[in-house]
Amino acid sequence: MDQACISYIRKKPFVFIALAVLLLVVIGAIFHKHDVFVQNQTYQDNDGLLQSKPQGEMVIYNRVRKSGSRTVLRVMAALSKQNNFQMFSSVIYRDMHITLGEQAELVDFIGNIQPPFIYERHVHYLDFSRFGRGPPIYINFVREPSRRFVSDYYFDRWGDDIKIDIVFKGTEEEKNRPVSECILGGYSECSEVTAFGKGSIPYFCGQDPRCMQPSEWALQQAIARLRERYFFVGITEHLEESLIMFEALLPNIFGGASQIFKKQGVADVVSKSTAKGKEDLTPEAQKKLKKILKFDYRFYDEAVKVYKDVKTQLRLTGKLL
């Protein structure tokens, strides 16, 4: 360092100190960001088979509507006390597809929670890497598409024994229209576009506007994220078995889940959270609905395949009897 620099520092030491502090902050941020990504490696290979999970249980349950989540949440709430982790439940139930600014705020909020925790909300997949953060542990449940559609249709009208303050946005005629009539009559509520946007695929596809439109692109994006970004996805039709598998996969969070599920208090939620007023589909309506939900069925079949692959691996490694 020459004499001119030394003289300048002596005259204005605060400038030198400020620059030094700024340099340390920048270096620290770089290393912190690097550490985050190192500690949160992708935890599934392209075949959907489990590998190592990220360090620190930062679990996001971006729950699909009418796929058993009310029951699962009751189990999680009990587990949070038993296994000593935090449970964060959003009070936002309708805004699944959100603006970029809202995504940034939500990612920042979740990223600043001290693990271990579970954060749950009806929200479509958030790409944490887009906002400079490593991925959390994504989990979810999916349900047979026609059953989920019918349950959602009647829940929007009548609620269930737990949520009774439903305000239907439509006429009395629309509210009382049976689901089979809606499907066979070609009403907009039962159209392919509406059914797709309210289905399972956008929850996995993400926040891209194309995820709300029925297409091969949206399906493949959802499948890719199911396999590469989700630690495990349970099947609603095999709810108890799914919880047993969660126990084996994330014991610090889900240890004891199956025992809690069997308790009477949790079992009651299954019946109480069944949508009111449901009517069975006519054979003609069932046939047409399967065509309307063709992308959802392909996604569901893929989710079941991944589920079975994980189940086989758990048995091979002795983690599941």
Side-chain angles (χ1 to χ4, degrees):
M1 188 179 295
D2 58 26
Q3 287 297 118
C5 289
I6 293 172
S7 177
Y8 182 82
I9 291 170
R10 286 175 177 172
K11 290 179 180 178
K12 298 185 178 181
F14 62 90
V15 176
F16 178 77
I17 293 171
L19 289 173
V21 170
L22 179 61
L23 180 62
L24 288 172
V25 169
V26 171
I27 293 173
I30 292 171
F31 276 99
H32 171 71
K33 183 176 180 180
H34 175 73
D35 286 342
V36 168
F37 279 96
V38 168
Q39 291 175 8
N40 290 279
Q41 298 289 343
T42 298
Y43 34 84
Q44 291 182 329
D45 63 19
N46 290 328
D47 293 325
L49 300 182
L50 296 172
Q51 296 186 358
S52 60
K53 69 177 184 295
Q55 296 179 18
E57 277 82 358
M58 300 170 56
V59 180
I60 293 185
Y61 176 26
N62 66 317
R63 56 192 181 109
V64 178
R65 276 172 57 97
K66 303 311 296 176
S67 297
S69 62
R70 197 82 63 81
T71 306
V72 174
L73 290 180
R74 178 67 68 90
V75 173
M76 288 178 172
L79 288 174
S80 68
K81 299 174 183 177
Q82 175 181 296
N83 297 336
N84 195 30
F85 63 84
Q86 299 182 82
M87 182 79 190
F88 289 84
S89 294
S90 174
V91 296
I92 300 173
Y93 302 111
R94 291 288 179 179
D95 296 334
M96 296 85 161
H97 211 74
I98 56 181
T99 67
L100 185 62
E102 290 169 334
Q103 292 175 51
E105 289 178 5
L106 184 53
V107 167
D108 187 58
F109 173 78
I110 295 171
N112 286 312
I113 301 174
Q114 182 67 31
F117 67 83
I118 294 178
Y119 177 86
E120 65 85 4
R121 175 178 166 177
H122 288 308
V123 65
H124 298 161
Y125 174 87
L126 295 164
D127 184 359
F128 275 57
S129 65
R130 187 176 187 181
F131 304 97
R133 292 184 182 270
I137 301 174
Y138 266 107
I139 65 170
N140 219 320
F141 279 80
V142 293
R143 184 180 182 183
E144 196 278 335
S146 288
R147 292 176 184 171
R148 198 212 65 79
F149 178 88
V150 172
S151 181
D152 196 42
Y153 181 88
Y154 283 105
F155 181 82
D156 277 346
R157 285 159 168 73
W158 309 107
D160 54 31
D161 287 336
I162 297 174
K163 189 172 181 61
I164 60 175
D165 56 339
I166 294 294
V167 178
F168 178 70
K169 296 179 180 179
T171 65
E172 279 298 308
E173 181 183 359
E174 291 169 335
K175 183 176 182 178
N176 291 291
R177 181 178 292 139
V179 67
S180 291
E181 182 182 330
C182 179
I183 294 166
L184 295 174
Y187 292 96
S188 61
E189 189 178 0
C190 296
S191 68
E192 182 180 10
V193 172
T194 302
F196 186 91
K198 295 181 67 177
S200 299
I201 289 176
Y203 285 89
F204 293 83
C205 179
Q207 298 291 335
D208 190 301
R210 292 174 293 176
C211 292
M212 295 294 289
Q213 298 297 319
S215 68
E216 187 68 24
W217 180 89
L219 170 65
Q220 294 305 322
Q221 180 79 340
I223 289 174
R225 283 182 165 153
L226 164 73
R227 287 185 166 277
E228 298 169 9
R229 292 292 180 262
Y230 277 77
F231 187 67
F232 182 60
V233 174
I235 305 298
T236 305
E237 287 71 29
H238 303 288
L239 185 56
E240 184 173 357
E241 181 183 70
S242 296
L243 290 172
I244 292 171
M245 292 169 69
F246 269 114
E247 283 190 75
L249 296 166
L250 287 170
N252 292 342
I253 297 290
F254 284 96
S258 58
Q259 287 78 13
I260 291 173
F261 175 77
K262 291 175 183 177
K263 290 182 178 179
Q264 184 63 36
V266 175
D268 283 346
V269 179
V270 178
S271 60
K272 289 181 179 179
S273 59
T274 300
K276 291 181 178 180
K278 282 201 299 184
E279 296 181 16
D280 292 334
L281 291 168
T282 65
E284 297 79 9
Q286 177 69 67
K287 185 177 180 180
K288 184 175 180 181
L289 183 58
K290 282 195 172 183
K291 291 181 180 179
I292 291 172
L293 299 176
K294 60 182 181 292
F295 288 115
D296 283 87
Y297 270 101
R298 288 173 62 190
F299 179 76
Y300 178 76
D301 290 344
E302 192 71 23
V304 171
K305 183 179 184 300
V306 172
Y307 177 89
K308 289 179 177 178
D309 288 343
V310 174
K311 182 177 176 180
T312 298
Q313 187 177 10
L314 285 173
R315 282 177 170 166
L316 289 174
T317 56
K319 295 180 179 180
L320 188 69
L321 298 178

